[in-house]
PDB file of all heavy atoms in Angstrom:
ATOM      1  N   CYS E  82     109.592 102.144  97.122  1.00 98.00           N
ATOM      2  CA  CYS E  82     108.752 101.540  98.156  1.00 98.00           C
ATOM      3  C   CYS E  82     109.424 101.809  99.496  1.00 98.00           C
ATOM      4  O   CYS E  82     110.623 101.584  99.646  1.00 98.00           O
ATOM      5  CB  CYS E  82     108.604 100.038  97.929  1.00 98.00           C
ATOM      6  SG  CYS E  82     107.569  99.207  99.153  1.00 98.00           S
ATOM      7  N   THR E  83     108.639 102.299 100.441  1.00 97.00           N
ATOM      8  CA  THR E  83     109.121 102.533 101.797  1.00 97.00           C
ATOM      9  C   THR E  83     108.468 101.514 102.714  1.00 97.00           C
ATOM     10  O   THR E  83     107.246 101.375 102.713  1.00 97.00           O
ATOM     11  CB  THR E  83     108.770 103.961 102.273  1.00 97.00           C
ATOM     12  OG1 THR E  83     109.394 104.901 101.401  1.00 97.00           O
ATOM     13  CG2 THR E  83     109.222 104.196 103.698  1.00 97.00           C
ATOM     14  N   LEU E  84     109.299 100.799 103.474  1.00 97.00           N
ATOM     15  CA  LEU E  84     108.810  99.824 104.444  1.00 97.00           C
ATOM     16  C   LEU E  84     109.625  99.949 105.722  1.00 97.00           C
ATOM     17  O   LEU E  84     110.607 100.688 105.782  1.00 97.00           O
ATOM     18  CB  LEU E  84     108.928  98.395 103.896  1.00 97.00           C
ATOM     19  CG  LEU E  84     108.021  98.030 102.728  1.00 97.00           C
ATOM     20  CD1 LEU E  84     108.320  96.610 102.241  1.00 97.00           C
ATOM     21  CD2 LEU E  84     106.549  98.163 103.084  1.00 97.00           C
ATOM     22  N   ARG E  85     109.236  99.183 106.720  1.00 97.00           N
ATOM     23  CA  ARG E  85     110.021  99.110 107.947  1.00 97.00           C
ATOM     24  C   ARG E  85     111.412  98.582 107.596  1.00 97.00           C
ATOM     25  O   ARG E  85     111.578  97.797 106.666  1.00 97.00           O
ATOM     26  CB  ARG E  85     109.348  98.188 108.950  1.00 97.00           C
ATOM     27  CG  ARG E  85     108.045  98.745 109.462  1.00 97.00           C
ATOM     28  CD  ARG E  85     107.428  97.833 110.472  1.00 97.00           C
ATOM     29  NE  ARG E  85     106.209  98.447 110.980  1.00 97.00           N
ATOM     30  CZ  ARG E  85     105.479  97.942 111.931  1.00 97.00           C
ATOM     31  NH1 ARG E  85     105.828  96.797 112.513  1.00 97.00           N
ATOM     32  NH2 ARG E  85     104.386  98.554 112.330  1.00 97.00           N
ATOM     33  N   ALA E  86     112.393  99.023 108.355  1.00 97.00           N
ATOM     34  CA  ALA E  86     113.785  98.677 108.044  1.00 97.00           C
ATOM     35  C   ALA E  86     114.011  97.170 107.956  1.00 97.00           C
ATOM     36  O   ALA E  86     114.761  96.708 107.094  1.00 97.00           O
ATOM     37  CB  ALA E  86     114.725  99.307 109.071  1.00 97.00           C
ATOM     38  N   ASP E  87     113.353  96.395 108.805  1.00 97.00           N
ATOM     39  CA  ASP E  87     113.556  94.947 108.778  1.00 97.00           C
ATOM     40  C   ASP E  87     112.817  94.266 107.623  1.00 97.00           C
ATOM     41  O   ASP E  87     112.906  93.055 107.462  1.00 97.00           O
ATOM     42  CB  ASP E  87     113.170  94.321 110.120  1.00 97.00           C
ATOM     43  CG  ASP E  87     111.698  94.488 110.475  1.00 97.00           C
ATOM     44  OD1 ASP E  87     111.017  95.362 109.889  1.00 97.00           O
ATOM     45  OD2 ASP E  87     111.221  93.738 111.351  1.00 97.00           O
ATOM     46  N   GLN E  88     112.113  95.051 106.801  1.00 97.00           N
ATOM     47  CA  GLN E  88     111.388  94.508 105.654  1.00 97.00           C
ATOM     48  C   GLN E  88     112.017  94.951 104.324  1.00 97.00           C
ATOM     49  O   GLN E  88     111.396  94.881 103.272  1.00 97.00           O
ATOM     50  CB  GLN E  88     109.917  94.935 105.733  1.00 97.00           C
ATOM     51  CG  GLN E  88     109.216  94.394 106.955  1.00 97.00           C
ATOM     52  CD  GLN E  88     107.810  94.945 107.143  1.00 97.00           C
ATOM     53  OE1 GLN E  88     107.264  95.642 106.292  1.00 97.00           O
ATOM     54  NE2 GLN E  88     107.215  94.615 108.277  1.00 97.00           N
ATOM     55  N   GLU E  89     113.268  95.363 104.381  1.00 96.00           N
ATOM     56  CA  GLU E  89     113.959  95.866 103.187  1.00 96.00           C
ATOM     57  C   GLU E  89     113.925  94.881 102.027  1.00 96.00           C
ATOM     58  O   GLU E  89     113.726  95.264 100.877  1.00 96.00           O
ATOM     59  CB  GLU E  89     115.407  96.194 103.535  1.00 96.00           C
ATOM     60  CG  GLU E  89     116.212  96.685 102.364  1.00 96.00           C
ATOM     61  CD  GLU E  89     117.639  97.017 102.748  1.00 96.00           C
ATOM     62  OE1 GLU E  89     117.840  97.837 103.664  1.00 96.00           O
ATOM     63  OE2 GLU E  89     118.545  96.453 102.114  1.00 96.00           O
ATOM     64  N   VAL E  90     114.110  93.602 102.308  1.00 95.00           N
ATOM     65  CA  VAL E  90     114.131  92.609 101.238  1.00 95.00           C
ATOM     66  C   VAL E  90     112.808  92.597 100.467  1.00 95.00           C
ATOM     67  O   VAL E  90     112.785  92.408  99.250  1.00 95.00           O
ATOM     68  CB  VAL E  90     114.495  91.203 101.785  1.00 95.00           C
ATOM     69  CG1 VAL E  90     113.410  90.640 102.686  1.00 95.00           C
ATOM     70  CG2 VAL E  90     114.798  90.256 100.647  1.00 95.00           C
ATOM     71  N   TYR E  91     111.704  92.866 101.157  1.00 96.00           N
ATOM     72  CA  TYR E  91     110.403  92.913 100.496  1.00 96.00           C
ATOM     73  C   TYR E  91     110.275  94.156  99.623  1.00 96.00           C
ATOM     74  O   TYR E  91     109.727  94.096  98.515  1.00 96.00           O
ATOM     75  CB  TYR E  91     109.277  92.875 101.527  1.00 96.00           C
ATOM     76  CG  TYR E  91     109.223  91.585 102.311  1.00 96.00           C
ATOM     77  CD1 TYR E  91     109.690  91.518 103.610  1.00 96.00           C
ATOM     78  CD2 TYR E  91     108.695  90.431 101.742  1.00 96.00           C
ATOM     79  CE1 TYR E  91     109.637  90.341 104.340  1.00 96.00           C
ATOM     80  CE2 TYR E  91     108.641  89.237 102.458  1.00 96.00           C
ATOM     81  CZ  TYR E  91     109.115  89.196 103.749  1.00 96.00           C
ATOM     82  OH  TYR E  91     109.064  88.022 104.460  1.00 96.00           O
ATOM     83  N   ALA E  92     110.762  95.294 100.112  1.00 97.00           N
ATOM     84  CA  ALA E  92     110.738  96.527  99.311  1.00 97.00           C
ATOM     85  C   ALA E  92     111.577  96.341  98.048  1.00 97.00           C
ATOM     86  O   ALA E  92     111.162  96.726  96.950  1.00 97.00           O
ATOM     87  CB  ALA E  92     111.246  97.706 100.140  1.00 97.00           C
ATOM     88  N   LYS E  93     112.748  95.738  98.198  1.00 95.00           N
ATOM     89  CA  LYS E  93     113.627  95.484  97.054  1.00 95.00           C
ATOM     90  C   LYS E  93     112.930  94.589  96.027  1.00 95.00           C
ATOM     91  O   LYS E  93     112.967  94.867  94.826  1.00 95.00           O
ATOM     92  CB  LYS E  93     114.920  94.823  97.529  1.00 95.00           C
ATOM     93  CG  LYS E  93     115.853  94.430  96.407  1.00 95.00           C
ATOM     94  CD  LYS E  93     117.072  93.689  96.918  1.00 95.00           C
ATOM     95  CE  LYS E  93     117.947  93.244  95.766  1.00 95.00           C
ATOM     96  NZ  LYS E  93     119.129  92.508  96.220  1.00 95.00           N
ATOM     97  N   HIS E  94     112.290  93.541  96.504  1.00 93.00           N
ATOM     98  CA  HIS E  94     111.619  92.611  95.592  1.00 93.00           C
ATOM     99  C   HIS E  94     110.479  93.302  94.849  1.00 93.00           C
ATOM    100  O   HIS E  94     110.357  93.175  93.626  1.00 93.00           O
ATOM    101  CB  HIS E  94     111.107  91.395  96.372  1.00 93.00           C
ATOM    102  CG  HIS E  94     110.505  90.348  95.507  1.00 93.00           C
ATOM    103  ND1 HIS E  94     111.249  89.512  94.704  1.00 93.00           N
ATOM    104  CD2 HIS E  94     109.212  90.008  95.296  1.00 93.00           C
ATOM    105  CE1 HIS E  94     110.445  88.692  94.042  1.00 93.00           C
ATOM    106  NE2 HIS E  94     109.201  88.980  94.380  1.00 93.00           N
ATOM    107  N   LEU E  95     109.658  94.046  95.568  1.00 96.00           N
ATOM    108  CA  LEU E  95     108.505  94.703  94.950  1.00 96.00           C
ATOM    109  C   LEU E  95     108.951  95.725  93.903  1.00 96.00           C
ATOM    110  O   LEU E  95     108.455  95.723  92.770  1.00 96.00           O
ATOM    111  CB  LEU E  95     107.640  95.377  96.019  1.00 96.00           C
ATOM    112  CG  LEU E  95     106.361  96.035  95.516  1.00 96.00           C
ATOM    113  CD1 LEU E  95     105.417  95.008  94.910  1.00 96.00           C
ATOM    114  CD2 LEU E  95     105.668  96.765  96.656  1.00 96.00           C
ATOM    115  N   VAL E  96     109.899  96.575  94.253  1.00 96.00           N
ATOM    116  CA  VAL E  96     110.377  97.585  93.308  1.00 96.00           C
ATOM    117  C   VAL E  96     111.033  96.906  92.104  1.00 96.00           C
ATOM    118  O   VAL E  96     110.776  97.283  90.960  1.00 96.00           O
ATOM    119  CB  VAL E  96     111.345  98.571  93.990  1.00 96.00           C
ATOM    120  CG1 VAL E  96     112.000  99.491  92.963  1.00 96.00           C
ATOM    121  CG2 VAL E  96     110.605  99.403  95.034  1.00 96.00           C
ATOM    122  N   GLY E  97     111.845  95.894  92.341  1.00 92.00           N
ATOM    123  CA  GLY E  97     112.520  95.199  91.251  1.00 92.00           C
ATOM    124  C   GLY E  97     111.561  94.519  90.293  1.00 92.00           C
ATOM    125  O   GLY E  97     111.710  94.615  89.072  1.00 92.00           O
ATOM    126  N   VAL E  98     110.554  93.847  90.831  1.00 92.00           N
ATOM    127  CA  VAL E  98     109.575  93.150  89.984  1.00 92.00           C
ATOM    128  C   VAL E  98     108.801  94.141  89.119  1.00 92.00           C
ATOM    129  O   VAL E  98     108.638  93.940  87.914  1.00 92.00           O
ATOM    130  CB  VAL E  98     108.609  92.296  90.841  1.00 92.00           C
ATOM    131  CG1 VAL E  98     107.395  91.867  90.053  1.00 92.00           C
ATOM    132  CG2 VAL E  98     109.333  91.080  91.397  1.00 92.00           C
ATOM    133  N   VAL E  99     108.323  95.216  89.716  1.00 94.00           N
ATOM    134  CA  VAL E  99     107.537  96.191  88.954  1.00 94.00           C
ATOM    135  C   VAL E  99     108.427  96.916  87.940  1.00 94.00           C
ATOM    136  O   VAL E  99     108.022  97.131  86.792  1.00 94.00           O
ATOM    137  CB  VAL E  99     106.805  97.179  89.883  1.00 94.00           C
ATOM    138  CG1 VAL E  99     106.093  98.258  89.076  1.00 94.00           C
ATOM    139  CG2 VAL E  99     105.803  96.429  90.764  1.00 94.00           C
ATOM    140  N   ALA E 100     109.641  97.268  88.320  1.00 93.00           N
ATOM    141  CA  ALA E 100     110.556  97.924  87.382  1.00 93.00           C
ATOM    142  C   ALA E 100     110.871  97.022  86.195  1.00 93.00           C
ATOM    143  O   ALA E 100     110.900  97.484  85.047  1.00 93.00           O
ATOM    144  CB  ALA E 100     111.840  98.339  88.096  1.00 93.00           C
TER     145      ALA E 100
END
Side-chain angles (χ1 to χ4, degrees):
C82 180
T83 299
L84 292 176
R85 293 181 177 184
D87 63 342
Q88 297 173 8
E89 178 179 304
V90 68
Y91 295 103
K93 176 184 177 181
H94 185 74
L95 183 63
V96 172
V98 165
V99 175

